[in-house]
Amino acid sequence: MREVLVAGGAPQELAEEAVRVLGRGAAETLRDDPWAVLGLEGVRPEHADAFARAVLGAEATPGDDRRCRALVGHLMELAAERGHTALTGQALQAALAQNAVPDPAAAVAAAVEDGRLLVFRADGDDEPQDAADGEDGGDGDAADAPVLLGLDRYALAEESLADGLVRLLRSFEAEAADTDPALWERAAADAPSPSAAELIRAVSGSGLVLHSGGEAARAEPVALVAAARAAGLRAYAAAYTDDGRRRLAAALGGGAAGPRPAPDAPDRVAASDAGVDVSEAGLDASEAAVDASDAAVTVEDLLDGARGPGRNPDGSLALDLLAVLDAPQLSVVEATDLVEALPDGARLVLSGDPYALWSAGPGRVFADLLAAKVCPRVTSRTPDPGPIGELVSCVGVGELAAVDAPDKEVVVVPARDPREAVHRVVQLVADSVPRAIGVPADRTQVIVPAHGGPVGTRALNAALKERLNPGPGRFAGFDPGDRVVHVPRPGRVLPATVAGADQDGLRLDSADGPLLVPRQDVAATVRHGWAVTGHQAAGMRWPAVVVVVPGDAGPLLTRSWVYTAFGRGERHLSVVQGADQTLPQAVAGPAAKDRTTRLVSVLRELAAEG
């Protein structure tokens, strides 16, 4: 394999991945079809073309069927990385033309004929976008794009998800008689807030409910789960991140579940506080609270069995009610896996903030479900408290407002250029925030739009390490005491601290205990973590955050990014502002870059069949 790569001018370090992706016959595959190298991570079309010319010589032409086939797959995967589950035929042909394919229509037709692409009708509900390259890629007129094209795994995931959601709605109507309606009504009457009462009443009558709101609104599904467990139901609350799970556990059951709840977080909701007569369920209040502390899980732990209820004999999850918080972070594949695991008759609540960043993976599941309007929706009326909550609420509706912050809860620090921005960030984390706010450096998180650039995570982490934990980087650039994030897969982010290293790998300490990252995985999955991106920070909170808005953020700076980044701070938010008027313009602009999906139309069609 290495010989083939070197002969084609490619780095031999790709050999292991080539064998993993292409199989044990990878060398022969690349000799016969050198453009297959485009399926390897980090390889771009120009790299694949150069490799093909080295292997094939004059036979390597822009219209080669092998090249067209590889480019179609590459462009569809690139679209999925940017959140799309489908593309218009027009958008895909435009992207192929940009890559010098002489007959884009023929290339698309060939991919459809051999089953590499599936074809779907593009109606008004699909709202197709020309976004193959993440920018404006065509006219954007749905009338000019009669079909959508999709890779089978994402297209089928959307159809399976829609089918599963409709199954929950219909099986609940047919089977659900699990509690006395009077219990639900008493729980609603005594709920801690009007929005919590509305949510409890909605869930009592439907197998699928959507709940939207900000950070303070998380208390409402917590109250629901506590009430349901006190009523005898097997009820669980699932967060997307481990930090979210710990906050849920603290709210549900008290201190034994993890670190203390955030100062601005809702008070603990025991079953007795959720408005349920626990004596009727055979529990006293203290037993119900302790029992409820086990109800907090992550979506990943729930599916792999690390925490939660386990499985029924038929393989479905052994639960009656599941409330999923941070639902906007669910990709279509994750949401499908979750819904398919729920038993008939179960209640599912998908709760989240509609203004927050969407998932790292393809799809916009929560937004699509809100748009489809096939089930009850509860919109929380509980505002996020304090100056940070006021600022974030204004950002959500497109306004960048000045807020009164008498205790320096919100501070804006101008930065004229990238060098000054880096200096200000280090000064804030190492000195100003600990001294003025009382939050130590290891509890202050820096958030930026991107990894690269003069004010990206790489540059900031290097500067912060030099100030806070200088060292030679004894193990793959890391030293004991370094703050890091472990990212084993896209969307899964675990903050930790380096404890040491040995022949087995890098040893980390996280809030959930020690973790060993194998030596061969360190370079690909561990980064320094004093500074992270907005997507990495989603679903987590810290006592203080420093949000950096550089002047070169460009299209990465959207309203949803600003909303998510600003909302990560519990007690304090510093904004290092280097973007001048670009920041208010981004907040006033579109909430997020759109994604082309099919879930809305598929779900409406299935729901209408009943």
Side-chain angles (χ1 to χ4, degrees):
M1 186 68 257
R2 289 184 172 88
E3 291 176 2
V4 173
L5 291 170
V6 171
Q12 59 180 320
E13 289 78 12
L14 289 174
E16 289 187 8
E17 187 187 358
V19 173
R20 180 181 61 82
V21 173
L22 302 174
R24 297 185 65 179
E28 192 62 31
T29 297
L30 289 180
R31 286 192 184 97
D32 295 338
D33 181 3
W35 284 286
V37 76
L38 198 53
L40 307 185
E41 185 175 357
V43 178
R44 299 196 299 268
E46 59 267 29
H47 300 150
D49 285 339
F51 182 74
R53 286 193 295 269
V55 173
L56 299 177
E59 294 181 28
T61 61
D64 190 294
D65 289 344
R66 294 166 294 183
R67 181 176 187 269
C68 295
R69 179 169 59 243
L71 278 171
V72 166
H74 172 76
L75 292 169
M76 294 300 295
E77 292 290 356
L78 192 61
E81 289 178 9
R82 289 165 176 158
H84 306 284
T85 61
L87 286 178
T88 66
Q90 189 179 34
L92 180 56
Q93 289 185 39
L96 288 168
Q98 291 171 5
N99 283 276
V101 172
D103 192 345
V108 170
V112 171
E113 185 176 354
D114 64 20
R116 285 177 289 114
L117 290 181
L118 301 181
V119 182
F120 306 95
R121 177 175 57 89
D123 54 32
D125 292 333
D126 282 312
E127 298 180 357
Q129 302 292 318
D130 288 330
D133 58 357
E135 307 292 340
D136 291 338
D139 296 331
D141 187 349
D144 295 333
V147 298
L148 290 177
L149 303 168
L151 295 173
D152 57 357
R153 63 182 175 279
Y154 302 127
L156 297 177
E158 285 186 306
E159 294 185 0
S160 296
L161 175 57
D163 185 70
L165 293 170
V166 171
R167 171 180 62 84
L168 290 177
L169 286 167
R170 292 175 181 166
S171 64
F172 175 86
E173 295 170 359
E175 300 178 15
D178 41 28
T179 50
D180 181 354
L183 278 178
W184 288 104
E185 189 52 43
R186 281 197 293 275
D190 296 332
S193 70
S195 294
E198 185 180 357
L199 178 61
I200 290 170
R201 289 190 177 98
V203 171
S204 72
S206 178
L208 176 64
V209 174
L210 304 180
H211 171 261
S212 60
E215 284 293 328
R218 295 170 73 93
E220 294 152 20
V222 167
L224 166 68
V225 169
R229 288 177 77 88
L233 295 182
R234 300 168 298 174
Y236 291 83
Y240 193 81
T241 66
D242 290 295
D243 175 76
R245 177 193 61 78
R246 288 189 294 272
R247 287 186 283 129
L248 279 178
L252 280 163
R260 63 171 178 80
D264 291 338
D267 292 337
R268 186 184 72 160
V269 181
S272 57
D273 300 323
V276 172
D277 185 351
V278 297
S279 63
E280 293 193 19
L283 301 171
D284 65 32
S286 61
E287 288 173 335
V290 172
D291 184 50
S293 70
D294 297 327
V297 297
T298 65
V299 171
E300 184 175 47
D301 286 346
L302 185 68
L303 292 175
D304 67 20
R307 288 187 175 91
R311 300 275 179 162
N312 290 315
D314 65 359
S316 62
L317 291 167
L319 53 73
D320 303 304
L321 184 150
L322 177 64
V324 179
L325 287 82
D326 313 312
Q329 291 186 258
L330 289 174
S331 72
V332 66
V333 174
E334 292 167 326
T336 301
D337 290 343
L338 182 65
V339 169
E340 288 183 337
L342 296 178
D344 289 352
R347 295 174 168 93
L348 174 63
V349 178
L350 294 176
S351 174
D353 194 327
Y355 299 122
L357 284 168
W358 291 337
S359 61
R364 52 178 188 189
V365 172
F366 191 65
D368 281 346
L369 289 175
L370 292 174
K373 300 179 181 178
V374 297
C375 66
R377 172 185 177 177
V378 175
T379 301
S380 175
R381 298 183 297 279
T382 305
D384 287 337
I388 295 177
E390 181 183 353
L391 174 61
V392 170
S393 296
C394 290
V395 170
V397 296
E399 300 176 5
L400 189 63
V403 297
D404 185 23
D407 296 321
K408 298 182 179 179
E409 295 93 339
V410 178
V411 175
V412 178
V413 181
R416 292 166 296 183
D417 54 50
R419 184 175 180 178
E420 183 180 4
V422 173
H423 171 74
R424 295 298 184 194
V425 169
V426 174
Q427 184 181 51
L428 285 164
V429 174
D431 178 55
S432 301
V433 173
R435 175 171 43 82
I437 310 300
V439 177
D442 63 355
R443 298 295 293 143
T444 300
Q445 184 62 57
V446 179
I447 302 173
V448 298
H451 292 299
V455 198
T457 62
R458 297 186 188 96
L460 286 170
N461 278 320
L464 288 162
K465 175 174 171 55
E466 183 179 357
R467 174 68 181 272
L468 298 172
N469 195 47
R474 288 180 290 173
F475 188 89
F478 300 102
D479 293 296
D482 281 357
R483 277 179 69 176
V484 298
V485 286
H486 179 224
V487 188
R489 60 173 178 77
R492 169 73 167 161
V493 180
L494 179 66
T497 302
V498 175
D502 53 34
Q503 67 274 14
D504 295 324
L506 191 66
R507 297 193 177 275
L508 309 178
D509 285 333
S510 74
D512 285 333
L515 170 69
L516 172 66
V517 181
R519 178 182 292 266
Q520 66 272 18
D521 295 339
V522 171
T525 65
V526 181
R527 293 177 179 268
H528 281 109
W530 287 283
V532 298
T533 66
H535 275 95
Q536 289 178 323
M540 295 186 279
R541 300 195 87 199
W542 293 267
V545 298
V546 176
V547 176
V548 187
V549 187
D552 62 353
L556 294 175
L557 192 63
T558 63
R559 187 197 309 171
S560 61
W561 187 92
V562 176
Y563 181 93
T564 300
F566 283 12
R568 299 311 91 203
E570 297 165 349
R571 291 168 49 191
H572 175 76
L573 165 66
S574 282
V575 181
V576 178
Q577 161 61 311
D580 196 25
Q581 290 304 305
T582 303
L583 177 58
Q585 290 168 4
V587 169
K593 187 173 292 185
D594 207 356
R595 298 181 174 187
T596 304
T597 65
R598 299 175 48 250
L599 183 58
V600 172
S601 58
V602 174
L603 189 54
R604 286 176 175 171
E605 184 176 349
L606 284 176
E609 291 176 358

